[in-house]
Amino acid sequence: MRLKFLHKLLILTVTPVLIAQAGTMLAVLQTSKQEIEAGAKQALRVGSAVAEQLVQTRNQQISRNVKLLASDFALKEVIAISDPESTRSALDNHANRIGADLSTFVYIDDDGESDRATSALERHVQRYALTVLDNDGALPDIFSIVLGKSVYQVYTAEMRAPTTIGYLMLGFRVGDNIAKPIRKLTDLNVAILQIGATGINTAVSTFDAAHSHVPPPDLLNKQLAANSVYPKLVGPDEFWVTHLPLTRADERVFIVLASQKLKPLQHFLKAKDNVLAFGVGLLVLVVALGAWLSAGVSRPLRSLASATRSLAKGEYETEIRVASRDEIGELAQGFEEMRKAVASRESQISHQLLHDPLTGLPNQKHTIAVLEREIDSQAVTEVSLIVIKMQSLDRIGSSLGLHSTDELTRETARTIASVAGDGYFVACIDTNRFAVACCNTDLATAQALARDITDQLDLGTQLGSTRITLKSHAGVAHYPSHTTSAEDLIRYAMIASVDAKGKKLRLDTYDTGREADFTRYLKIVQDLPTAVEHEELKVFFQPKVSIASGELYGAEALVRWQHAELGFLPPDDFISAAERSDNIKLLTRYVIQKAIAAARQWQDDGFTLKVAVNLSARDLLDRDLFGYVTEVLEQHDVPTTRLILEITESSVMEELDLAVETLNTFRAAGILVSIDDFGTGHSSLAQLRDLPLDELKIDKSFVSQISADSDDELLISTTIELAHGMGLTVVAEGIEDEYSLRRLKHHKCEIAQGYFFSKPLPEDDFRRWMADYRPADYTERRSETRPFSPPQPSQAAPDTPGQMKKRP
Ligand code: C2E
Ligand code: CA
Ligand code: CA
């Protein structure tokens, strides 16, 4: 069993008291017992002296009276001269007077014998008296005699007239007259015993009925006889006993004094009970005192223990208060200081947990909590949430340094907070992502605020001597019209901000149902790296034909993805996702590798074709791409002039200088650069003059319009002319019919690409297609022996939906 501290303390206080008590009790018991014994013995000794004194005084008194009577002249005359009857009568009279129980007179004749007794009793007494004569023949003053059951003390006195005529003898029965006064004076049991030849005769006894058989005193024990006290059984009980002769020099009649051993002890036992009661009382007092004291010590310890338990549970609010000023108090003080330190650290940590370390603004977790609270609140009927997505600082970071990007982020946070004002909750929910929660604010007001914020951000931030402008896109979502969940509200606003970027808008508002698209988008982003790794992506090839000769010129590599869950995915569905998530590098390299390997294969098959690969804006910023491309070309032993990189106007414009630098590097190595989708962008050809280009691809939206719209044809013809002026080869894509092809030939367009020749084909199909291909002169289009036929609807790429879609 584990003892509690309280109990240990209690034992510590109570045990010494208990031991002391028991010791005292034992000692008291021992000494009391001795004391009582000594007292009892002393009482007996005193009693014995008292009894002796009493008997002696009585003897002297009676002796004197008897002697006085013996000298009475009248009595003398009667005894000397009268007849026995008269003598008897006179004796009776006198005996009565002094209270004697029997009387007789013994005459002393010359012969020393006399027989003038009047009764047998007298004669007996007289005869007995003779037996007690002393050595000189004289009668003792007192002797005892047993008559029947009674013991008498007989007092004798010599009678002279003038010579001794005899002895007067008066007997007094021994009884209460002796025992009672002794008993009264000593409070001892008194018995007077006569020890005769026939046994013990009890003359008188103050013992009660239970103790009526008083045993004879230990006469043989001389030591005891000398007025000593000794134990003896009387009846069933033990007594302290002493004895003394009733009459001196008479060893037959004794006074026995006794005191019951147990009796004084009973007083003691009563006292012992009191002592015990006192002891128990004391013990109770000590236990109570000990308990109080121990509690005084253990209570603060217990409160300390419970305080530490609270600390362990993470409750740091309650102050640890222990009033005592002792060591425990000091300990408690220490604990209290520790609690404060931990509490402050805890609040720091929880602040860090709920705040963005850089801007000090509440973080996403905090924002969700606040939104949840607001949504739950009765007072709040609607919440509009704005999420502002800032342009990534990665590239700026590398040129400006980390310190500047941190400052830029903080400055952005300050700008947003100052535009939002005090009424709104501003948070930093992610890197480069801020949020403004607007309670009881409708969507229109929030949209206006979002515009104000992006307008302000567009003004840029002064950082030292340079002014830096970061692009920002805002998304807005609304409770309750979009969702009732705080987390969804944030997510929806985020989706809206991503959509805003995708749509190249400053601000977009969440569209109900957009979430499903977004989930699909996220899935695509998530699965793309493994798809590349496991070669789930397939590269298709679409032929490019020299219009003048009808010969095969090259092929464009176009990627496709057969997604395990989402099914067939056209590039439009995942290219932009790859671009946004930085997976585009992986994808581009994959396609380049497949395209160059295919070119090698074609060459081995006897076809010397150029292969075109599409690049994204990101690829133009990838400084390692050139190294990769040349390595793959070398690896497959394909000349650099065999590769065309297709870029779009917008991708070049994003980071013009860097893009131009990259393109120059490629071109310097002999790789060709083609500007894709021409005509859909904002720039005119004149603006593209400074770009390092080899080829221009007129967008399919113009080509397909040729037959219907003469304006388009005019645009195409001027573009071709201008492009030729700039030394560019012109490619027309999206040729679906022979008419378009003829018109393009007419305008001196060099290369054609489109379903008219073939849809994009898997590599094996493409090789088969090539083997079957026969060049033709498209000016002779009405001839009956055309080596090719326009694409059948059934052939129109069921695995490539969306290919027929026109660009806006
Ligand atoms: P793009 O570079 O303009 O590619 C030409 C697109 O026009 C292809 O669509 C092609 O299948 C389609 N097309 C070809 N002939 C005709 C025709 O006669 N009529 C019509 N209506 N369409 C025709 P696809 O394969 O769906 O590719 C769409 C876009 O995805 C491409 O447009 C390109 O921008 C991008 N893309 C495809 N593969 C890659 C790639 O490997 N890397 C990158 N960065 N982008 C790629
Ligand atoms: Ca292209
Ligand atoms: Ca194109």
Side-chain angles (χ1 to χ4, degrees), residues 620-660:
L620 295 176
L621 309 176
D622 180 1
R623 291 169 187 277
D624 301 332
L625 186 65
F626 177 71
Y628 179 80
V629 169
T630 47
E631 195 187 307
V632 179
L633 284 170
E634 268 173 40
Q635 196 187 324
H636 292 92
D637 194 18
V638 173
T640 50
T641 49
R642 210 63 71 67
L643 182 66
I644 304 174
L645 299 178
E646 295 189 8
I647 53 161
T648 59
E649 175 200 324
S650 58
S651 69
V652 182
M653 292 307 167
E654 229 170 77
E655 282 289 327
L656 186 63
D657 295 347
L658 197 58
V660 168

Side-chain angles (χ1 to χ4, degrees), residues 448-686:
L449 175 62
R451 258 181 223 108
D452 288 349
I453 291 172
T454 49
D455 284 351
Q456 189 63 38
L457 290 172
D458 275 353
L459 298 179
T461 305
Q462 193 69 34
L463 211 69
S465 55
T466 42
R467 188 155 196 94
I468 295 168
T469 305
L470 294 176
K471 270 186 218 151
S472 60
H473 301 276
V476 187
H478 183 254
Y479 155 82
S481 55
H482 293 147
T483 178
T484 53
S485 139
E487 280 185 45
D488 285 351
L489 194 61
I490 290 198
R491 209 149 43 84
Y492 292 174
M494 275 197 211
I495 292 174
S497 73
V498 172
D499 283 351
K501 190 185 175 192
K503 297 179 190 169
K504 301 205 188 322
L505 297 171
R506 285 281 102 135
L507 167 73
D508 199 8
T509 302
Y510 177 75
D511 214 0
T512 311
R514 223 352 234 123
E515 203 205 355
D517 299 349
F518 201 72
T519 316
R520 183 182 142 96
Y521 164 76
L522 285 182
K523 183 142 196 66
I524 288 171
V525 168
Q526 205 176 10
D527 294 349
L528 198 57
T530 34
V532 173
E533 202 182 319
H534 297 151
E535 308 219 333
E536 276 176 48
L537 298 183
K538 294 279 176 284
V539 178
F540 280 36
F541 295 93
Q542 189 179 32
K544 283 165 128 182
V545 176
S546 290
I547 302 176
S549 62
E551 296 286 345
L552 272 175
Y553 170 79
E556 181 176 1
L558 293 160
V559 71
R560 272 102 185 84
W561 182 4
Q562 188 64 44
H563 189 281
E565 278 171 54
L566 302 175
F568 176 81
L569 297 176
D572 288 334
D573 276 14
F574 61 91
I575 293 291
S576 64
E579 280 170 347
R580 275 189 263 169
S581 62
D582 233 11
N583 284 316
I584 191 71
K585 276 183 175 181
L586 273 177
L587 186 139
T588 301
R589 284 164 199 236
Y590 177 79
V591 176
I592 284 174
Q593 199 266 327
K594 292 281 176 207
I596 292 173
R600 170 79 257 166
Q601 182 63 55
W602 304 332
Q603 191 175 332
D604 294 348
D605 291 349
F607 300 96
T608 307
L609 298 186
K610 290 191 194 302
V611 67
V613 174
N614 294 282
L615 292 191
S616 288
R618 284 285 179 93
D619 296 318
L620 295 176
L621 309 176
D622 180 1
R623 291 169 187 277
D624 301 332
L625 186 65
F626 177 71
Y628 179 80
V629 169
T630 47
E631 195 187 307
V632 179
L633 284 170
E634 268 173 40
Q635 196 187 324
H636 292 92
D637 194 18
V638 173
T640 50
T641 49
R642 210 63 71 67
L643 182 66
I644 304 174
L645 299 178
E646 295 189 8
I647 53 161
T648 59
E649 175 200 324
S650 58
S651 69
V652 182
M653 292 307 167
E654 229 170 77
E655 282 289 327
L656 186 63
D657 295 347
L658 197 58
V660 168
E661 195 187 316
T662 310
L663 294 178
N664 278 328
T665 316
F666 280 112
R667 286 191 79 225
I671 296 166
L672 303 170
V673 176
S674 170
I675 185 95
D676 203 354
D677 300 346
F678 184 77
T680 55
H682 305 283
S683 330
S684 65
L685 194 55

